[in-house]
Structures are given as structure tokens and as C-alpha cells.
Amino acid sequence: MTPSESVAPQEVQRRAPYGLPMRIAGIVFWGLVVIGLVVTAVLMKGYEKTLSAQYTERAAILATQLEQQMSAQNTRDFEAQRDAIEAMIKELDIRGLEIQSPEQFVVVGDISDKGSDPTTIFATKFPNVLEKTAFRDTNLTLYFPSFEKVVGEYRKRVLLGMGALFLAFGVCLQIALRRILGTPFDQMTGDAKKFLAGRREVRFDDKRDDEFGFLAGFVNQVLDQLNHEQDELRQALERERDAESRNEELRAATRAKSAFLANMSHEIRTPLNAIIGYTEIMLRDPAIREKYERPMRSIERAGAHLLELINDILDLSKIEAGAMEINEVDFDVHELIEGVGDLFRLRCADKGLAWKLNDNVSSRTFVRSDQHKIRQVLVNLIGNAVKFTNTGEVTLSVANDGDRYSFEIRDTGIGISEEDQKRLFVPFSQGAAGINKGGTGLGLAITRRNLEMLGSDLALESHPGSGTTFRFNVHLPTAGRAVSARVKRKADDVKLAPGTVVDAIVADDVEENRELLAYFLRGIGVSVRLAENGKVAVDQVAQKMPDIVFLDVRMPVMDGVEALKRIRSENADRYVPCVAVTASALAHEVEFYLQQGFDRLIGKPFRLNSIQTCLAELLNAKFVSQSAPVPATEPETGKEHDLSDVVVPEPLYAGLRDAAEIGAVTRIEQLISEMRASGATAASLAAALEEKLAQYDTEGICRILDGVAHR
Amino acid sequence: MTNQAYRLVLGCILLLSLYFDAMPILYSLIGMLVIEGVSNRLLPNVISKFRFHRECDTNEGSLGLPFKCRTSVTAERAWRFMVASMLVVGLIVFPKSMWFFPWFMAFAIFGAGISGVCPMYLFLKQCGFR
């Protein structure tokens, strides 16, 4: 959660209308009520005693006053003294009086006992006061106001007064509590609201010397911690945003790089497709082959050289981008080694080197791994061995221990110094000898990365002048099934078997590519309809269903993918195989097109083999080979030139040397022209150089220059 | 009408009735409390339903304390019975010796109505009434 995403502060509501002060006051009030009642009960007991004593005293006073009054009047006629007696009882707050003497029964005052105003009959016997007087035979019955009522009235007054007192005390207590508790509480509440509103510098008042101050101290620590964590969170989020933006920039750069590579791959392969493809077509013509085979082969090799160069660059880029994948296939190890051996046997013979193959692997060993990468590694290592060995031999040794295969490439070449060994596997980095021999400096870098992907590593042992040995082990698990030996079909002398009719549609917006593929297909007996974009191809499929459709993936109006979807949707009742044609070599793009629904994918430059394989696998087409023999594909190595008398001017020699080292073919051509113009003695050198140049053999040019005098 | 307001009013009426010895009012209050307890038609709930179409909160007055409920009878209902019983004891059974009981009840109910704290109610909650 970011600070900006934190939960918005909600207004905290009081659940009860009365807070702590009221509750405390209520509890205190309870206690006071109990105490008050106890006090009241005690007071009542005392009051009852007092009242009883009062009644006794008043009775005695009345009796005494009555005796004195009667004695003063010297009479026993109480009736005659009624008024005086009424005055007495009124004065003493006696409600009524009954006087019972032997002569009379007199009632003075009100002695009725009303329900709502009861009386208390206090005495029925004359008090001891008159015991020794003449009225000892007279009984007085005094009627006082009800004892319970008087006590009750008194109790009510007491309780009322106490209740009022307690209520006032409660109110004062609550006011005091509100001030004591409420003021700091309100202050803390206000400070908390300010903090929640965003004023992070607000702190609670911890200077108070009570519980609130104590609490405020802890709360301030919590707020400090909270601020600190928020700051850290904010910084972390900023760092994360920065890292994310940097990652996005890197991703954008990677995407741009991949797009650039895809585009460059397409842009370079497309014209290469025309070069290599038309060369291959023209070489199928015996008349052209007889007259122009060498130049045509040169063009073919130049195209292959360019293709190899772009493939190396793309491979390295793929490796750096982590896009290189392992493509496992089942293959025969022995066949792989034989193929590589055949390739380099001739090259070694050309240089006068001995080629040795120690194949200790049992024949017909089928394994599952990335055959292409292993072959690439072997070709690169052995190619370097041949390049950097002038005399002696190049040996390839292969052995296996179960699924573990060990490869060793040993040469008797110039060796690699320790200093050069440190930079050997750095892309585009070459040692002094490597610079002299030409190349891009990518081979060993790609080789090592490929081996790492295969779970292996490359070991190097070399000393200057003592040759070089490269070793690597790779795990090649046994394949689940035997792989039939690939029949090497000479692509340029096969046609569809008689009776096999194949109708194809070729769609490509580039006319050369369209025509080229059509040539290939017509050359092997396929009838071809052409379309300049996907929409035309779809219309042609609707007109007449073909047997197979070749769709370039990049076309205007409607591209290959869209055309494929239209063809599938409009022809749900009949399935026509569709082949994607693309110049892109990126693995993820290949996978993409296959996932889109294409049955196969062929790359540019076209190879007749791949086209034939498509037809064979998708249409079960049968091919028959033509009877015309194919002349040797290896070019002539060139006649020997006598260069012993040749002396080359130093600037010319240096220019040739420099141009040969960096592979500047055009510059070499210019310098050869200058050389021819300089005189007849240099003509033989020029011819020799031209021969090598025709084969793009810059190493050969360097070897020739090594044997030529210059000053 | 909340239960707290009900107690405040009840306490006031009790105090005034005791002061003026209005026994009919006191007997009526006892009867009302018994009827409320028996019928479970508590006056605050009746008024609240009439005005707001909902009953009063059964946890009002619990002070937020956790109580374990062991019976379906509400504490308010039990409180009515308790108060009625104590008033009967103090006014009718032992009017002279336990004169203080109704006064104590009246003051306590009045105080609970003001402060919202009723120890008897809390005691009943603790006993397991809902």
C-alpha cells in the first residue's frame, strides 16, 4: 500500500452519547446513594429515639401543666378547664387528649385516627409526674401525630436533601472529570485528526505529568515510527519506480534491438534470397553451368558467406537476449561426425594439412540433442584449427562413456598466447593472429555460449608454437527411436514423379521472391499461380482450391497470417496446407507463425531441399531424380603461379595486406587493378590474388602475400 | 426511546412517587414492570418500533464488555422482574424494615438513567442473560 493509497481516514463516531466522565460520575453516584441510604438509616434511628424522648417529655410537661392548672383552680372539673387544656396541647403540639377520671371523661382536641393522617397513642397511663398528687387516679391518653409519619416525613426530607446534594456533587464531579479527562482527550483527538489530515509534524503533548502525558509519549514514538516507515516506503516506491522505468527502458531497448534484428534479418535475407536462389536456379541450367560455373559458384559462396555472417550476428544477439533455444532432435552421432569430417577433409587437403578422425563412437548411435548447435561448435572449432595451422595435422577425436560424449580438436598450428587466451571468448575480440586471418571474432563466443546452453564447457590448452587443443564433453541421451539415415538428395536433379500433379499458389509482394519461388516449384514440375498479396491469394483459393499455398508473412493489403485465417474460415470443408515464407530467423517468430496455424515454415533464402521437403511431407509428393550428372561442386583450386620474381611496392603490399586482414573485398579489387596497371611482372600476382578473391578466400590472399617480396 | 432513557424516566417517577407516597403510582409501576417482563413487550422496544421500525440494541448498557450468553431471555426483561420484585419486597412485604429498598432502587435507576451505567443490568448480563 502506498501512502497515497492508504485508507482514507474515516470520522470516528462516538458509540455512546455519554463518555467516561458520565460513567465515572454514575458509578460514584451509585456509591454515594448506598452511603447516603446507610447514613439516612442511621439518622432515622437517632431521630426515632429523639422523637420518642420528645413525646415522653411533652407528655410529662402536659401532665405537670395540667396538674398545676387544676390545682390552681382547685377543681377536678376538667371540662371547665377545656380552653386552658386546648391551649396546652396546642402549645406542645399534641393532637388530642383523653382525660379519664372517676368523675369525668373528657376529650380535648382531635383524637380521630384518619387513614391518611394517623395518630400515635403515646400513653394510656398517667405519667409518674402525678403519682404523688391528688390526680393519681386520673388517666391521660395523649394523641401525637403518627410516629411513622413524622419519621417518614423527616426521612423524605433527609433523602431529598441527600439526593440533591449527590446530584449536585455528581454534576460537579462530571464537570471536573470533563476538564481533567475531557480536555486532554479532546486535545489528543484534535492532534490525531491533524495528523490524519496530513500534518505529519504534529505530536501529542507529552509534557503532562499524568497518564495522558505518559500515553502521549508512547503515541509520539508510534507516530515517529510511522513517519519513518512512510518515508522508507516512499523512498522504496520511488526506487521501485526508477528501477521499473529503467527496466522499461531496457525492455524497450531490447525490443528495439529485437525489432531491428528482425527487420535487418528480413532486409538482408530478402535480397540474399534472390542472390542465392537465382544462382541455384541458373546452376541448374547445363548451358549456363558449362560456361559460367565458376563465377556462379563464387556468387553462391559469397551469398553463403554473407548468410553465415548475418547468422552469426543474429545468434550472438539471440544469446545475449536470452532468446536462444535448444531445439532437440533425434540424430545419428556418427553421421554428424562423418559430415563434419567430409567437410574439413577437403579443406585440409587444400592447405596441405593432414586430417585425422578418431571416431570411437559406435556407428548407428542415435541420440537426442540440438544437432545444429553441436555441428556449429564442431565446424567453428575445426575451422579455426584449419585456419591457424599452416603445417602438420588437424585431429578430431570423439569418444563416449554411456551418454557422455567427449570431443577433442587438436591442431599443430601457431598456438595461442596466454594474453590472447584471456580475450578469446569475448565477442568481436581477436588476437593478433586472428586479426591477420580475418573473421568477425564471434565464432568462439558463440561456441562457448552454445556449449553452456548444452550444459557443457570448453577447455583450452595451447602454447605459442605448440598447437592448440579444444575439448568439451556433452550429455547426449539416447534417442527414443532410431532415425533413418538421411538420404542426401541432390536437389537440383529431381522432379515430381510422373502422374503427380501439384497445384500451388505463391503469394509475395516482392516480385523477385515471387518469381524465384515459382521458378523452384515449376522446375520440379509444380504448376504455380502467383499472387501479389494475401487478398489476391484468398481470391485465387476461392476460385480454385490449390494443393498447397505458400504465403509470405509480410505483405501489404493482407499479410500472410490474415490470409491464412481467411483461407481456413472460408474453406472449412477442405483443408489446404499453408506454408509460411519468411526471412526472419528468430526462433520466437518461427514458433509464432506455427502457432498461428501454418503447417510449415520455409526461410529465405530459399533452399530447394526445404521446398521439396515441404511438398513431400505435406502432400506426400513423390520425386524422381533426373539422369543428368552433376559436375563436381568444389571449385578448381586454381593453377599454380610463379611469384618468385614478383616484387610489390611497399604501399601496395601494405594496402593489400590490410584489406585482406579485414576482408575488404572491394579494396582488394581496386588494388589488384592498380597492380595490373603497374606492369606485367605483377600480373601473375594479380591473377593469383583474383583467383583467391573469387572464392572470398582472404586467408589464401594472406598466404600468397606472405610469400611475396615487397619493398 | 432507549433503555437508558426509560430508566431515567422510571427513576424520576419512582422518586417522586416515594416522596409523595403515591402508592397507586408505585403499584402501577410494579404492575407495568411485571407485564413487560412477562409479555416481553418492553416499552422502549414498543416505542422504538413505532417510531423507527426497529428494536432497541440488546447490548445497550453493556459498556462494550464481552458477556457470554447462556439463555434466550434478555437482560432487560430480567431486569424488569428484579426491579418489580424488589419494589414489592420494599413496599408491600417489609415496608417498615426495608423502607430503604425502594428509595435505593429509585436512586439507582435514576442514576443509571443519567450515566448509562446500571450495575444490576451488568450483573444480569454476567449471569448469562442475552
Side-chain angles (χ1 to χ4, degrees):
Chain A
M1 184 189 291
T2 64
S4 61
E5 295 172 345
S6 60
V7 176
Q10 299 173 353
E11 187 66 25
V12 178
Q13 299 291 338
R14 283 182 181 274
R15 294 197 190 87
Y18 306 105
L20 279 175
M22 183 66 79
R23 291 182 183 179
I24 294 172
I27 293 170
V28 171
F29 184 78
W30 265 83
L32 289 175
V33 164
V34 173
I35 294 170
L37 286 173
V38 170
V39 168
T40 303
V42 170
L43 286 175
M44 289 302 103
K45 285 286 184 199
Y47 184 73
E48 285 171 5
K49 284 183 185 173
T50 304
L51 192 62
S52 178
Q54 279 182 359
Y55 281 7
T56 305
E57 186 182 349
R58 275 193 255 162
I61 294 172
L62 178 63
T64 303
Q65 286 180 351
L66 186 62
E67 188 273 332
Q68 289 175 353
Q69 176 71 20
M70 299 306 288
S71 295
Q73 297 298 323
N74 196 21
T75 176
R76 288 181 63 90
D77 184 0
F78 291 100
E79 188 64 38
Q81 302 298 317
R82 176 181 287 277
D83 293 338
I85 296 171
E86 279 185 0
M88 281 182 217
I89 65 173
K90 192 176 280 186
E91 185 183 340
L92 292 173
D93 192 23
I94 298 171
R95 183 174 291 175
L97 177 64
E98 277 181 3
I99 304 172
Q100 188 172 3
S101 69
E103 297 89 8
Q104 286 177 317
F105 179 77
V106 178
V107 174
V108 182
D110 181 11
I111 63 170
S112 63
D113 188 13
K114 302 186 185 68
S116 62
D117 189 13
T119 57
T120 298
I121 301 174
F122 185 69
T124 56
K125 279 283 189 190
F126 207 85
N128 295 335
V129 171
L130 297 179
E131 193 62 33
K132 296 179 178 153
T133 66
F135 297 92
R136 70 175 71 83
D137 58 352
T138 304
N139 287 331
L140 295 178
T141 303
L142 290 80
Y143 288 83
F144 287 94
S146 168
F147 191 77
E148 287 80 14
K149 186 177 177 199
V150 171
V151 170
E153 291 293 327
Y154 181 71
R155 185 166 59 225
K156 286 179 195 174
R157 285 197 298 273
V158 169
L159 286 172
L160 181 66
M162 275 195 163
L165 187 66
F166 294 155
L167 197 62
F169 177 78
V171 170
C172 293
L173 179 64
Q174 193 193 13
I175 292 171
L177 287 174
R178 279 190 183 275
R179 286 180 66 87
I180 294 170
L181 299 178
T183 302
F185 176 78
D186 290 340
Q187 190 174 358
M188 288 181 87
T189 304
D191 290 340
K193 285 182 180 176
K194 288 176 191 171
F195 186 87
L196 288 173
R199 290 182 55 185
R200 295 173 55 194
E201 75 284 0
V202 169
R203 292 294 179 272
F204 289 13
D205 179 16
D206 55 357
K207 302 291 185 298
R208 299 173 64 93
D209 56 356
D210 55 13
E211 283 79 358
F212 283 101
F214 186 67
L215 177 63
F218 281 108
V219 173
N220 286 341
Q221 287 184 18
V222 170
L223 293 179
D224 289 338
Q225 180 74 16
L226 193 63
N227 280 341
H228 178 66
E229 287 177 2
Q230 275 196 337
D231 290 338
E232 283 188 347
L233 182 62
R234 197 171 289 118
Q235 288 169 8
L237 286 169
E238 283 175 6
R239 285 195 296 270
E240 191 178 322
R241 282 195 208 103
D242 290 342
E244 183 58 30
S245 77
R246 282 196 297 272
N247 284 343
E248 184 55 35
E249 287 173 6
L250 287 172
R251 281 194 290 268
T254 303
R255 284 195 295 271
K257 183 180 173 182
S258 295
F260 171 75
L261 287 174
N263 285 334
M264 289 310 298
S265 171
H266 179 266
E267 294 303 325
I268 293 174
R269 285 169 182 269
T270 300
L272 265 181
N273 182 44
I275 294 170
I276 296 173
Y278 280 118
T279 303
E280 199 168 334
I281 288 173
M282 291 169 75
L283 279 171
R284 287 162 57 88
D285 188 333
I288 294 176
R289 202 162 53 229
E290 184 182 350
K291 199 171 178 185
Y292 298 107
E293 181 165 11
R294 282 188 60 192
M296 297 304 295
R297 292 295 177 194
S298 296
I299 295 170
E300 191 181 38
R301 278 194 294 274
H305 177 75
L306 278 174
L307 192 62
E308 186 182 343
L309 183 62
I310 190 66
N311 283 342
D312 277 354
I313 294 173
L314 285 174
D315 279 352
L316 185 65
S317 296
K318 271 192 278 186
I319 290 169
E320 286 180 345
M324 184 66 85
E325 295 167 348
I326 298 288
N327 298 314
E328 290 189 347
V329 296
D330 297 334
F331 64 94
D332 183 358
V333 176
H334 186 66
E335 192 179 312
L336 170 69
I337 297 167
E338 265 192 9
V340 170
D342 290 343
L343 175 65
F344 287 99
R345 183 176 302 112
L346 294 171
R347 288 179 65 177
C348 285
D350 187 44
K351 274 192 84 170
L353 302 173
W355 165 253
K356 287 188 180 174
L357 175 61
N358 299 325
D359 184 358
N360 297 318
V361 177
S362 61
S363 56
R364 317 317 297 170
T365 305
F366 299 101
V367 297
R368 184 167 182 84
S369 183
D370 194 329
Q371 179 188 22
H372 173 73
K373 286 188 175 54
I374 296 173
R375 187 173 193 279
Q376 194 177 18
V377 167
L378 289 173
V379 166
N380 182 264
L381 293 176
I382 301 173
N384 283 344
V386 172
K387 186 194 291 187
F388 292 100
T389 303
N390 297 319
T391 60
E393 63 187 20
V394 174
T395 307
L396 170 64
S397 303
V398 186
N400 71 314
D401 179 14
D403 290 343
R404 201 84 193 150
Y405 287 76
S406 58
F407 295 82
E408 182 185 276
I409 299 98
R410 184 193 298 272
D411 65 60
T412 56
I414 60 177
I416 309 169
S417 65
E418 277 197 24
E419 191 181 332
D420 286 342
Q421 286 182 33
K422 293 174 189 172
R423 296 178 290 127
L424 207 59
F425 300 103
V426 176
F428 301 105
S429 171
Q430 292 175 288
I435 293 173
N436 290 337
K437 296 295 182 182
T440 58
L442 293 175
L444 282 176
I446 294 172
T447 296
R448 171 168 259 189
R449 306 281 174 88
N450 280 339
L451 286 174
E452 285 172 358
M453 290 187 72
L454 292 170
S456 178
D457 196 9
L458 192 59
L460 165 65
E461 186 185 322
S462 181
H463 300 284
S466 303
T468 303
T469 302
F470 281 100
R471 296 190 188 88
F472 66 92
N473 297 323
V474 64
H475 177 68
L476 302 175
T478 307
R481 58 183 177 86
V483 176
S484 57
R486 186 180 300 179
V487 175
K488 291 181 185 175
R489 175 187 298 134
K490 291 190 83 63
D492 53 357
D493 65 348
V494 296
K495 277 189 177 296
L496 285 173
T500 304
V501 177
V502 176
D503 174 34
I505 291 177
V506 171
D508 198 317
D509 58 315
V510 177
E511 185 181 353
E512 288 80 12
N513 292 336
R514 202 164 59 229
E515 295 293 339
L516 184 61
L517 184 54
Y519 271 127
F520 276 124
L521 290 169
R522 287 178 182 136
I524 56 177
V526 175
S527 71
V528 179
R529 285 179 279 163
L530 300 178
E532 59 267 24
N533 59 54
K535 188 175 184 315
V536 174
V538 170
D539 293 339
Q540 288 184 355
V541 170
Q543 276 178 6
K544 182 186 170 199
M545 181 66 75
D547 296 309
I548 190 168
V549 180
F550 292 88
L551 293 166
D552 184 33
V553 296
R554 292 192 190 191
M555 289 184 286
V557 182
M558 184 186 292
D559 64 15
V561 175
E562 180 64 26
L564 171 72
K565 288 177 183 171
R566 286 279 301 274
I567 290 170
R568 292 278 181 257
S569 65
E570 292 175 5
N571 301 279
D573 57 335
R574 194 191 152 185
Y575 188 85
V576 55
C578 293
V579 179
V581 180
T582 176
S584 174
L586 297 176
H588 69 277
E589 290 201 16
V590 171
E591 186 64 30
F592 170 76
Y593 291 121
L594 291 176
Q595 282 178 355
Q596 291 301 308
F598 283 103
D599 298 278
R600 288 289 186 279
L601 185 143
I602 59 173
K604 297 173 188 173
F606 300 127
R607 288 294 185 195
L608 194 52
N609 260 333
S610 59
I611 296 170
Q612 290 170 353
T613 304
C614 269
L615 295 174
E617 291 179 355
L618 294 176
L619 302 179
N620 227 10
K622 306 292 181 206
F623 294 91
V624 293
S625 61
Q626 300 294 306
S627 58
V630 178
T633 57
E634 289 295 328
E636 292 179 11
T637 55
K639 53 183 183 287
E640 291 292 329
H641 297 273
D642 182 10
L643 304 175
S644 55
D645 295 333
V646 177
V647 178
V648 183
E650 186 60 39
L652 187 59
Y653 179 87
L656 281 168
R657 190 82 199 189
D658 291 341
E661 285 172 0
I662 63 173
V665 173
T666 306
R667 179 69 180 144
I668 296 174
E669 281 180 357
Q670 289 172 349
L671 292 171
I672 292 174
S673 298
E674 288 179 18
M675 192 186 300
R676 280 194 182 281
S678 66
T681 54
S684 57
L685 175 60
L689 293 177
E690 280 175 345
E691 275 182 19
K692 294 299 180 185
L693 187 63
Q695 300 166 22
Y696 289 89
D697 185 5
T698 54
E699 297 171 30
I701 291 174
C702 290
R703 284 197 301 275
I704 292 172
L705 290 174
D706 287 341
V708 172
H710 54 95
R711 56 166 181 266
Chain B
M1 184 187 202
T2 63
N3 287 306
Q4 184 175 345
Y6 171 81
R7 290 191 184 92
L8 180 64
V9 171
L10 181 65
C12 287
I13 296 174
L14 278 174
L15 284 172
L16 290 173
S17 301
L18 286 169
Y19 186 80
F20 292 108
D21 293 322
M23 296 310 291
I25 296 177
L26 290 170
Y27 296 148
S28 301
L29 287 176
I30 292 172
M32 183 193 77
L33 289 168
V34 171
I35 290 171
E36 280 186 310
V38 169
S39 67
N40 198 23
R41 294 255 192 263
L42 306 182
L43 191 60
N45 284 344
V46 171
I47 295 174
S48 184
K49 271 188 182 174
F50 178 75
R51 289 186 68 190
F52 305 113
H53 307 288
R54 60 176 168 82
E55 288 191 355
C56 295
D57 182 12
T58 55
N59 284 324
E60 180 193 352
S62 301
L63 304 181
L65 298 173
F67 293 107
K68 196 172 178 181
C69 177
R70 296 187 184 92
T71 173
S72 61
V73 178
T74 60
E76 286 291 339
R77 207 175 156 191
W79 186 87
R80 274 24 175 211
F81 282 120
M82 287 284 285
V83 170
S85 305
M86 290 180 182
L87 286 176
V88 165
V89 167
L91 290 173
I92 301 171
V93 178
F94 302 109
K96 290 187 179 163
S97 58
M98 298 191 77
W99 61 266
F100 53 89
F101 220 41
W103 283 100
F104 171 73
M105 297 288 296
F107 273 116
I109 293 170
F110 177 76
I114 291 180
S115 65
V117 178
C118 183
M120 185 186 296
Y121 177 80
L122 294 173
F123 171 74
L124 291 170
K125 277 283 200 181
Q126 183 66 32
C127 290
F129 289 96
R130 183 166 63 91

